[in-house]
Amino acid sequence: DYLGRIDHQVKIRGFRIELGEIEAALLAQDGVAQAAAVIREDGAGKRLAAYVVADPEASTDISELRRQLQQGLPDYMVPSAIVRLDRLPLSPNGKLDRNALPAVEWQGRGEIIAPRNATEEALVAIWREVLKRERVSVTDNFFELGGDSLSATRAIARVQRELQVALPLKAMFETTTLGQLADRIEVLGWANAGPLAVEAEAELEEGII
């Protein structure tokens, strides 16, 4: 569900969002000099994407930037992709040219690392289906592949159903890679089933979240 308006207000997955709020949250982070937020589309649907220009004297880590946004924004307002640029494109009158922002490449981190155990193998299969991605490596980040809070909830539900491990949704945001998430599941064990993910998935089906 997507609705664009001239004031840069959008509606996605039933939530009305001001892109300016996301941009303001990005600009409030240390090391971010400029920011822009837009809607992008891939094979899995409409997603939020953000572009940032870092302060030349700052070292801006995208994963840390995402974690900071999660502390101040609802999950549905955290961009699925944050792209670092040298500068934002401007129109002849000096305003941000959103149409000139580069396309987002929903891809992983270079070389594909195959699953090393049964847990990683199961997670690769789940991520491929949930994210509609052919290429998934144990070094990939769920959100860099185009994930968002909605797809993360579906992935968590699949983990509980198939691995019999109940994870909180925040686990998807706290772990950097598929391999790290697999390690967390291994620590919890394969028999830690609970109602959390199943209830969340039921709410998704009912359109509650």
Side-chain angles (χ1 to χ4, degrees):
D1 184 12
Y2 164 73
L3 175 67
R5 292 182 8 178
I6 194 169
D7 58 355
H8 304 309
Q9 185 179 85
V10 299
K11 187 177 181 183
I12 186 169
R13 300 197 336 257
F15 296 101
R16 196 174 297 280
I17 299 169
E18 285 283 356
L19 296 177
E21 292 183 30
I22 300 173
E23 294 168 354
L26 285 164
L27 290 170
Q29 308 306 316
D30 291 339
V32 177
Q34 295 176 291
V38 297
I39 292 290
R40 291 295 191 214
E41 184 173 8
D42 72 345
K46 306 284 186 179
R47 300 187 186 278
L48 280 169
Y51 300 82
V52 297
V53 176
D55 188 314
E57 299 181 357
S59 177
T60 304
D61 180 79
I62 296 300
S63 296
E64 178 60 27
L65 186 55
R66 179 179 281 110
R67 283 191 289 270
Q68 293 296 325
L69 289 181
Q70 290 160 5
Q71 295 178 12
L73 293 175
D75 287 341
Y76 62 85
M77 289 182 67
V78 177
S80 296
I82 302 176
V83 180
R84 187 187 290 109
L85 298 177
D86 292 332
R87 61 180 181 277
L88 295 180
L90 302 177
S91 64
N93 63 5
K95 294 184 178 181
L96 173 66
D97 186 352
R98 294 177 186 273
N99 293 329
L101 289 166
V104 175
E105 297 182 5
W106 309 101
Q107 60 184 9
R109 303 181 175 189
E111 181 184 1
I112 297 178
I113 306 299
R116 298 163 294 185
N117 53 50
T119 303
E120 290 182 352
E121 186 174 349
L123 284 179
V124 166
I126 290 170
W127 286 23
R128 280 176 177 166
E129 183 171 342
V130 170
L131 297 173
K132 304 294 189 276
R133 297 282 178 265
E134 290 295 328
R135 177 204 185 284
V136 174
S137 169
V138 298
T139 58
D140 283 341
N141 179 290
F142 187 83
F143 300 98
E144 290 177 1
L145 292 178
D148 55 21
S149 58
L150 183 67
S151 53
T153 301
R154 290 188 172 125
I156 287 290
R158 288 282 303 277
V159 166
Q160 176 171 316
R161 188 163 56 243
E162 297 180 21
L163 303 185
Q164 297 297 295
V165 173
L167 291 172
L169 180 60
K170 66 179 181 179
M172 298 294 292
F173 295 90
E174 292 173 343
T175 52
T176 303
T177 66
L178 183 148
Q180 291 181 357
L181 183 62
D183 290 342
R184 182 165 180 172
I185 291 172
E186 291 285 343
V187 170
L188 288 174
W190 285 55
N192 185 30
L196 178 64
V198 171
E199 290 177 357
E201 188 175 44
E203 291 178 346
L204 282 174
E205 297 300 327
E206 295 172 5
I208 298 175
I209 60 175

